[in-house]
Amino acid sequence: MKLKYVGDLPSVSSKGVGFDKTQPDKYNLLQPAVELLEALSYGATETTQHLHNLSGQSFSDADLLEMLKKHCVDVNKMFATCEDKTNELIERLITRVLENTMISEDGRKAWLNNIKLMRDYYLQYVINETAYNCALDALAQQVKVAKVKEVIFPMYKNYGSVLHDLITVLGHLKAPIDAELSVEAGGDKFEGKFSITHR
């Protein structure tokens, strides 16, 4: 399996293929997620006051995959589920088309053919989403183990979007962890603040 940008989730119909802007490719969030993983990979420590400068560097697709392998549990097993997830997604789409009574037979054939043509695209979309969810789970574990209480981050490169998604993951841990995002102005710049409360 490879990581690569694929774009928004396809929206397929009998007339062709469009893209759903409300379902963006999670690949765009993998770079900042992996950078946060690297920055917060302290393990268990005596202190909760951690300092790290986010480099803002860009990683190649191969680098992203290697870093995920370092931080995530059984990446190969995780990616093995992507084929099944894609097949389930396609089956749901096909079922909707077959149950649609408002479409002509030619329209139905065109629609089903468009779904079939987009299979590889759907698969890559699912791979990217699965990789991102893996990164979020690994981030949650790092925050929990190191008892990180605060992360200050620059207001660019989607760090805030990743940490916003992390709030939900932390809240669903067996021992839930509360977290919130805020923005702080310091002189002529704005910084994001991710505050974590361990119970």
Side-chain angles (χ1 to χ4, degrees), residues 121-172:
Y121 194 105
Y122 281 119
L123 176 60
Q124 190 62 55
Y125 182 90
V126 168
I127 288 170
N128 293 347
E129 183 176 53
T130 301
Y132 178 62
N133 289 335
C134 170
L136 286 177
D137 289 340
L139 264 172
Q141 287 306 312
Q142 287 180 354
V143 166
K144 179 180 178 180
V145 169
K147 292 188 169 30
V148 176
K149 290 187 176 177
E150 187 177 277
V151 177
I152 303 295
F153 60 94
M155 297 296 292
Y156 67 91
K157 204 182 170 191
N158 288 323
Y159 297 117
S161 296
V162 172
L163 293 169
H164 179 269
D165 291 344
L166 183 60
I167 290 173
T168 303
V169 178
L170 289 170
H172 285 99

Side-chain angles (χ1 to χ4, degrees), residues 64-76 79:
L64 285 173
L65 187 55
E66 285 308 308
M67 289 183 187
L68 283 175
K69 286 179 180 177
K70 182 169 95 173
H71 294 288
C72 296
V73 178
D74 205 347
V75 169
N76 292 331
F79 282 140

Side-chain angles (χ1 to χ4, degrees), residues 105-121:
E105 195 55 39
D106 286 342
R108 189 183 318 279
K109 285 179 185 175
W111 199 335
L112 292 172
N113 191 48
N114 287 339
I115 292 171
K116 182 180 177 182
L117 288 172
M118 295 303 290
R119 189 190 187 287
D120 288 345
Y121 194 105

Side-chain angles (χ1 to χ4, degrees), residues 17-136:
V17 177
F19 297 92
D20 185 350
K21 300 285 185 197
T22 66
Q23 300 290 324
D25 185 0
K26 296 299 185 185
Y27 179 90
N28 290 329
L29 300 178
L30 271 175
Q31 293 269 345
V34 164
E35 194 172 349
L36 285 163
L37 272 172
E38 288 289 295
L40 299 176
S41 60
Y42 303 110
T45 61
E46 292 295 316
T47 180
T48 56
Q49 301 299 315
H50 305 298
L51 295 174
H52 184 90
N53 287 327
L54 293 166
S55 65
Q57 73 182 82
S58 291
F59 300 109
S60 70
D61 295 341
D63 290 339
L64 285 173
L65 187 55
E66 285 308 308
M67 289 183 187
L68 283 175
K69 286 179 180 177
K70 182 169 95 173
H71 294 288
C72 296
V73 178
D74 205 347
V75 169
N76 292 331
K77 185 177 179 182
M78 174 194 71
F79 282 140
T81 67
C82 291
E83 286 281 351
D84 290 338
K85 288 178 184 176
T86 302
N87 290 338
E88 288 170 15
L89 170 62
I90 289 173
E91 282 302 314
R92 286 195 304 272
L93 295 172
I94 289 172
T95 299
R96 266 191 247 152
V97 174
L98 295 176
E99 291 176 350
N100 188 331
T101 58
M102 304 299 287
I103 191 170
S104 69
E105 195 55 39
D106 286 342
R108 189 183 318 279
K109 285 179 185 175
W111 199 335
L112 292 172
N113 191 48
N114 287 339
I115 292 171
K116 182 180 177 182
L117 288 172
M118 295 303 290
R119 189 190 187 287
D120 288 345
Y121 194 105
Y122 281 119
L123 176 60
Q124 190 62 55
Y125 182 90
V126 168
I127 288 170
N128 293 347
E129 183 176 53
T130 301
Y132 178 62
N133 289 335
C134 170
L136 286 177

Side-chain angles (χ1 to χ4, degrees), residues 9-22:
L9 183 67
S11 178
V12 179
S13 72
S14 60
K15 294 178 174 60
V17 177
F19 297 92
D20 185 350
K21 300 285 185 197
T22 66

